Amino acid sequence: MTASSPATRIGLGLDAGGTQTRWALATPDGQLVAQGQAAPISGAQLGSDDGRAAFARTLAELAADASRHGAASGVLAGITGLGTEHTPTLNALLARAFALPLSAVGSMSDIGLACHAAFAPGQGYVVYAGTGSIAAYLDDAGALHRAGGRGPVIDDAGGGHWIARQALRQVWRVEDVEPGAWQRSALARALFDTLGGSDWAATRQWVYGATRGEIGMLALAVARAAHEGDVAALALLQEAGVELARLGRALLRRHGARPLALAGRVFDLHPAIETALRDSLPAGTVSRRLILHAHHTAARLAAARGRP
């Protein structure tokens, strides 16, 4: 398949989050040609020379991988942490990596892309919880409204990084009072198994040498403990659900009653998260899980429109 005519045109879509970058090639009618994964990239990298260089290397590797399956006529990328001030820089990097004119590339935030994948404009809200957390609404005019998504320093409550940080805080506060108490805690044991040791040196070395996405993956250990019946782990996941509901309630209050789509890998951790979220929403609010393939949506849009 080539990109030489509208009938055979294919688009390339990117969905970059905190733990990975997913890409897809698709036709205008949504037929999937190929898909794959690459290293995580973030809009935060675009503010420094070193960050831009790393970003460009990942794009080059991704482009080489995708080109084996077909030549894209356009690219549309959804990137976590992308601010409007860095959009021109990102588009230039995309054009260079995929050997396309600037008119054939486009970009938006990853949550903006998720909104396109979930609803037609004006129809509903997305509550997304992966490494971080955010809720967003794409209105009838195409303007994006958001709640949360301010990163781990300020908030991101309910996301994987937040869950991991809260769990580590709980475990080490107990250890401050009663050294060795971790041996009676399924939560502590699950965390320390991942960290490779039960002493502070092991935690310090692992956590402060890890990326935000890698720390977020510790939420899997919290989920394991909850499935084993650990009360503290279960309560923490329920708290995550309440925090995510807060984001949905903010948009419901600002823009009125509409359904919510729940997306992101945090919702796969344990049913308690979704249950707590639903219980914390206003009565009558419709919510549904969304198995999000935003990179497929981006590829289809890139192909259907000829250019993003």
Side-chain angles (χ1 to χ4, degrees):
M1 180 175 289
T2 69
S4 59
S5 69
T8 59
R9 186 172 60 231
I10 57 176
L12 189 140
L14 304 180
D15 177 25
T19 57
Q20 64 179 340
T21 298
R22 298 183 295 172
W23 63 265
L25 290 167
T27 62
D29 62 0
Q31 179 183 347
L32 186 65
V33 177
Q35 62 181 330
Q37 298 179 2
I41 48 179
S42 165
Q45 294 175 279
L46 299 173
S48 69
D49 290 341
D50 288 345
R52 286 188 293 271
F55 199 109
R57 287 194 296 272
T58 298
L59 286 182
E61 293 169 3
L62 191 156
D65 193 10
S67 67
R68 293 196 289 268
H69 305 279
S73 62
V75 175
L76 180 60
I79 308 292
T80 187
L82 179 65
T84 55
E85 71 276 16
H86 293 312
T87 298
T89 299
L90 171 58
N91 289 346
L93 290 173
L94 290 169
R96 186 178 309 124
F98 294 96
L100 290 169
L102 276 173
S103 60
V105 303
S107 57
M108 62 181 70
S109 66
D110 58 340
I111 189 60
L113 180 57
C115 286
H116 279 286
F119 295 107
Q123 296 303 302
Y125 309 115
V126 173
V127 176
Y128 184 87
T131 302
S133 64
I134 189 171
Y137 167 57
L138 194 67
D139 69 19
D140 291 320
L144 185 71
H145 307 269
R146 52 184 282 167
R150 296 184 178 88
V153 173
I154 296 177
D155 202 343
D156 266 357
H161 186 278
W162 179 89
I163 291 171
R165 193 177 71 237
Q166 294 293 99
L168 288 167
R169 177 183 298 155
Q170 287 186 22
V171 165
W172 279 109
R173 285 187 172 188
V174 172
E175 286 298 299
D176 284 340
V177 175
E178 185 184 354
W182 68 269
Q183 297 175 73
R184 302 192 303 272
S185 165
L187 174 59
R189 293 195 303 270
L191 288 169
F192 290 160
D193 283 348
T194 301
L195 298 175
S198 61
D199 60 1
W200 169 239
T203 296
R204 181 183 60 220
Q205 181 176 355
W206 196 99
V207 169
Y208 292 105
T211 65
R212 174 171 169 259
E214 288 168 344
I215 292 172
M217 294 298 288
L218 287 175
L220 293 169
V222 181
R224 286 199 304 273
H227 283 293
E228 293 175 12
D230 186 275
V231 174
L234 182 62
L236 200 161
L237 296 180
Q238 291 169 332
E239 185 181 356
V242 172
E243 290 288 351
L244 295 172
R246 182 189 65 82
L247 300 177
R249 290 199 310 272
L251 293 183
L252 287 163
R253 179 171 182 172
R254 284 158 51 188
H255 302 288
R258 288 177 176 82
L260 273 68
L262 313 179
R265 297 174 70 184
V266 159
F267 290 107
D268 296 328
L269 292 174
H270 195 283
I273 297 174
E274 186 173 345
T275 298
L277 181 149
R278 292 179 187 274
D279 290 345
S280 299
L281 291 172
T285 302
V286 176
S287 63
R288 63 180 175 86
R289 282 293 305 278
L290 176 66
I291 306 303
L292 193 63
H293 299 294
H295 54 315
H296 295 180
T297 297
R300 174 179 57 79
L301 290 174
R305 295 159 59 183
R307 65 181 186 182

